[in-house]
Amino acid sequence: MPPMAILKSIAALAACGVASANAAALEPRQYKTQVTSKALIDTLQIENLFAKAEILQEIAYSTPGKNRVIGSLGHEKTVAYIRSQIDTDYYDVSLQGVELSVGINATLTANNKTIEAYTTTLAPAGTAAGPLVAIPNLGCEEADFAESLEGKVALIQRGTCSFGIKVQLAAAKKASAVIAYNNAEGTLEGYSLQVFPDPAKPFVPTVGVTQGQGEALLAQLESGVAINVALTSEANLTTTYNVIAETKQGDHENVIHVSGHSDSVTAGPGINDNGSGTVSLLELAVQLTNFTVVNAVRFSWWTAEEAGLLGAEYYVKQLSQAEKHKIRLLLDFDMMASPNFAYQIYDGDGSAFNLTGPTGSAEAEHEFAAYFDGIGLNHTEIEFDGRSDYGPFLEAGIAAGGIAGGAEGIKTQEEFEMFGGGAGVPYDVNYHENGDTVNNLNLDAWIEFSRAIAHMTAKYAVSWEGIPSRNSTVSQKRSENYGVMKRAFQRTKRYQAWV
Ligand SMILES: *[C@@H]1O[C@H](CO)[C@@H](O)[C@H](O)[C@H]1NC(C)=O
Ligand SMILES: *[C@@H]1O[C@H](CO)[C@@H](O)[C@H](O)[C@H]1NC(C)=O
Ligand SMILES: *[C@@H]1O[C@H](CO)[C@@H](O)[C@H](O)[C@H]1NC(C)=O
Ligand SMILES: *[C@@H]1O[C@H](CO)[C@@H](O)[C@H](O)[C@H]1NC(C)=O
Ligand SMILES: *[C@@H]1O[C@H](CO)[C@@H](O)[C@H](O)[C@H]1NC(C)=O
Ligand SMILES: *[C@@H]1O[C@H](CO)[C@@H](O)[C@H](O)[C@H]1NC(C)=O
Ligand SMILES: *[C@@H]1O[C@H](CO)[C@@H](O)[C@H](O)[C@H]1NC(C)=O
Ligand SMILES: CC(=O)N[C@H]1CO[C@H](CO)[C@@H](O)[C@@H]1O
Ligand SMILES: [Zn+2]
């Protein structure tokens, strides 16, 4: 927790409200000096970061859902806010629309008995009625779908692969709908199919129920009771936006791309996850306007990270090979203010977790490490598993790196000795909960993380020294390796816990 004094000055700042934070700050300046790591770091003030986090929280709390999930007013306002902050002569700003189906309301009955059900993000709207069929195993393989499901509804458990794959396989067998049931406690509110919609492999309406409800239905089916279900899933096709801003100055053939995501989960305002990353980037983008750069700097705020990295995936998919080549390094930031943080650097060289990123990723990791060493802070490594928006970039063979404070993982005794906080408890107890608010940020960690981002941004905005030059042969090979590693990773317990 931050000292009380900081909190008070922050409260005073916040009282000035949204408008004062933006406005005149972005007038083009006549006299600019070339950016340096130190100069950019020196522009960062925790009060300014915190004020922006409060704005995101106010945005969330001013809307009916009290969150910033895609398709909500809270997310729409977040995107507008980001845009307003960077709308200046210094950047070319674009909004990239991504069209997704977002659920509104679901209903379900089984043999005329109502069961509480939730919509699934990305699944289409629709109604269906018919006999329920339990899919064996986890429905990740074609072999799990032996017979035609025409006119039937498939009951499938969560786990091992993305739900989108299960629904595509069920739809291929002509199932009219799918009921997803949890493999852990809790409802499936806000759950997503996590696979980018593909017209060649359409989805069908999908509603989610709890593990208990799913297992009860399964037990009845197994004891020979026929179950007729009727379900409705209301959803809206919504266009949600990636915000992309690139400096007008600088070498556009050798871009440093710095990114975070703009959406939250359904449960709360999402201020550490990942509002903190959103804000660190926004503050940097605003402060950078006082400097000149040699290499173009591109900032992105991805949409729909929480629904399966969809904004970033869409972005990477539509890039030509030539455009991919222009991105020398992608740095991605999420959860920069975890209350029980560790300074975790993505293991780009594979030294800790044996998942190596494309050429350049190792060097990015080493630069982060050198930065933390230089200021006498301990650091550790985190698996380069593609679990956030950098994933689609890795698959495209683009060098990537980043740092994180930690999510639901448990801090070890060793990490406790390195970073303080509490051993044996999660890095962020509020991860994906309604307690993820401005009151639960670790401000000391947040400013350090933000400074590290400023260091990397400034360094590569001036020179690519230390990052190997592009080599499409090598990138291609690395990207194939990454595919192999990713498939191996997908068979691990850790992956299965979050699909
Ligand atoms: C969802 O649909 C049910 C049944 O039509 C209705 O009673 C309920 O009010 C709806 N909820 C919302 C949030 O629209
Ligand atoms: C469900 O209700 C409908 C209409 O009320 C009825 O015709 C049908 O027999 C009922 N089905 C079962 C399984 O109870
Ligand atoms: C669904 O979309 C329609 C048309 O765009 C809009 O008027 C309506 O408010 C949306 N509903 C919800 C719940 O977002
Ligand atoms: C840029 O520099 C000027 C002059 O030092 C300062 O007033 C301003 O706050 C700085 N920041 C931005 C974002 O313009
Ligand atoms: C590292 O990964 C590679 C490729 O997946 C595998 O062949 C190798 O055995 C792994 N090494 C260790 C030490 O796990
Ligand atoms: C770094 O970690 C060591 C334990 O490994 C600890 O003794 C030291 O105090 C830590 N340094 C800082 C700056 O937290
Ligand atoms: C790319 O790397 C491969 C393998 O290391 C090497 O043979 C090739 O000459 C390199 N190409 C360029 C353009 O540097
Ligand atoms: C680095 C990190 O922890 N990022 C998290 C941001 O939020 C998404 C969705 O909640 C998580 O999957 C990421 O792990
Ligand atoms: Zn490493």
Side-chain angles (χ1 to χ4, degrees):
M1 284 298 294
M4 217 47 211
I6 296 191
L7 286 179
K8 281 198 189 121
S9 67
I10 281 161
L13 257 173
C16 311
V18 176
S20 66
N22 347 332
L26 292 176
E27 289 306 307
R29 292 189 193 280
Q30 250 176 319
Y31 304 106
K32 291 185 174 176
T33 52
Q34 186 170 301
V35 72
T36 63
S37 165
K38 181 176 184 316
L40 194 56
I41 285 173
D42 285 349
T43 65
L44 296 177
Q45 305 292 335
I46 190 65
E47 289 82 359
N48 295 343
L49 294 173
F50 197 91
K52 286 191 168 67
E54 288 230 322
I55 289 167
L56 289 188
Q57 183 158 313
E58 276 168 34
I59 286 174
Y61 287 161
S62 73
T63 64
K66 307 219 177 317
N67 59 31
R68 301 182 301 106
V69 71
I70 53 162
S72 72
L73 186 58
H75 186 246
E76 230 172 80
K77 285 183 163 184
T78 301
V79 166
Y81 169 63
I82 293 171
R83 192 185 182 179
S84 73
Q85 289 283 295
I86 51 177
D87 212 356
T88 142
D89 281 354
Y90 189 80
Y91 293 110
D92 284 318
V93 179
S94 59
L95 293 187
Q96 180 179 48
V98 183
E99 197 177 65
L100 299 171
S101 176
V102 175
I104 299 169
N105 195 9
T107 62
L108 171 64
T109 63
N111 286 345
N112 290 344
K113 192 169 157 276
T114 298
I115 296 179
E116 184 181 39
Y118 289 93
T119 57
T120 309
T121 304
L122 300 183
T127 61
L132 185 67
V133 177
I135 301 304
N137 306 316
L138 287 159
C140 293
E141 312 281 338
E142 243 175 272
D144 296 337
F145 298 82
E147 50 186 88
S148 166
L149 293 170
E150 191 154 8
K152 297 176 179 162
V153 173
L155 176 69
I156 314 179
Q157 191 181 17
R158 178 184 185 183
T160 295
C161 63
S162 310
F163 226 92
I165 291 172
K166 305 174 193 228
V167 172
Q168 286 170 338
L169 289 170
K173 288 288 184 179
K174 302 210 159 38
S176 57
V178 171
I179 298 174
Y181 68 101
N182 211 343
N183 59 355
E185 256 182 59
T187 69
L188 288 176
E189 184 176 10
Y191 190 59
S192 160
L193 295 181
Q194 300 195 333
V195 170
F196 208 82
D198 176 355
K201 293 183 191 167
F203 296 138
V204 288
T206 303
V207 302
V209 301
T210 63
Q211 181 171 29
Q213 287 158 337
E215 284 173 353
L217 290 171
L218 183 65
Q220 287 183 60
L221 288 174
E222 281 176 347
S223 69
V225 177
I227 302 178
N228 268 296
V229 295
L231 62 88
T232 63
S233 173
E234 262 184 89
N236 249 2
L237 260 191
T238 306
T239 303
T240 168
Y241 294 93
N242 287 328
V243 185
I244 298 153
E246 181 155 333
T247 56
K248 288 191 174 154
Q249 310 164 45
D251 178 358
H252 297 277
E253 302 294 311
N254 289 283
V255 174
I256 167 80
H257 194 155
V258 190
S259 77
H261 72 81
S262 60
D263 60 319
S264 76
V265 290
T266 312
I271 298 303
N272 182 33
D273 180 10
N274 294 277
S276 55
T278 308
V279 167
S280 295
L281 252 56
L282 190 52
E283 185 62 15
L284 267 181
V286 169
Q287 296 300 339
L288 188 64
T289 61
N290 262 355
F291 299 97
T292 65
V293 294
V294 177
N295 297 314
V297 181
R298 184 180 302 163
F299 291 95
S300 298
W301 291 266
W302 309 120
T303 185
E305 192 263 11
E306 302 288 4
L309 320 180
L310 303 178
E313 184 174 339
Y314 181 82
Y315 176 83
V316 173
K317 263 193 181 157
Q318 54 77 45
L319 286 180
S320 65
Q321 191 54 46
E323 288 299 323
K324 285 177 191 163
H325 262 192
K326 292 178 184 173
I327 305 172
R328 288 291 295 272
L329 178 65
L330 178 279
L331 297 175
D332 189 53
F333 303 101
D334 232 335
M335 306 194 69
M336 302 281 94
S338 305
N340 189 30
F341 74 97
Y343 296 119
Q344 304 175 332
I345 308 175
Y346 288 131
D347 180 26
D349 64 4
S351 63
F353 296 96
N354 198 22
L355 274 170
T356 313
T359 310
S361 309
E363 288 76 3
E365 180 193 346
H366 301 158
E367 186 58 36
F368 272 120
Y371 171 79
F372 283 114
D373 288 342
I375 55 172
L377 289 182
N378 290 321
H379 50 85
T380 178
E381 292 180 55
I382 179 173
E383 197 164 18
F384 209 37
D385 57 15
R387 189 181 160 180
S388 197
D389 289 311
Y390 62 91
F393 288 83
L394 291 188
E395 284 182 61
I398 296 169
I403 43 180
E408 80 286 14
I410 305 292
K411 186 178 267 186
T412 63
Q413 178 63 29
E414 194 189 344
E415 288 170 338
F416 163 70
E417 280 156 24
M418 292 169 75
F419 303 105
V425 287
Y427 302 110
D428 186 352
V429 287
N430 301 303
Y431 176 68
H432 285 186
E433 302 288 344
N434 61 8
D436 183 3
T437 68
V438 292
N439 298 328
N440 293 317
L441 299 176
N442 187 314
L443 301 185
D444 296 334
W446 193 12
I447 190 72
E448 291 300 351
F449 274 119
S450 301
R451 287 173 181 150
I453 304 172
H455 166 72
M456 296 293 278
T457 305
K459 180 178 165 75
Y460 298 119
V462 173
S463 164
W464 284 113
E465 203 187 319
I467 298 288
S469 60
R470 278 182 302 253
N471 180 325
S472 56
T473 319
V474 173
S475 299
Q476 181 58 36
K477 203 159 151 282
R478 291 285 179 141
S479 153
E480 281 162 18
N481 284 349
Y482 180 73
V484 171
M485 292 187 301
K486 189 176 165 194
R487 283 189 290 280
F489 172 67
Q490 286 174 342
R491 289 191 289 271
T492 67
K493 268 219 167 86
R494 217 171 92 75
Y495 174 81
Q496 289 169 20
W498 57 269
V499 288

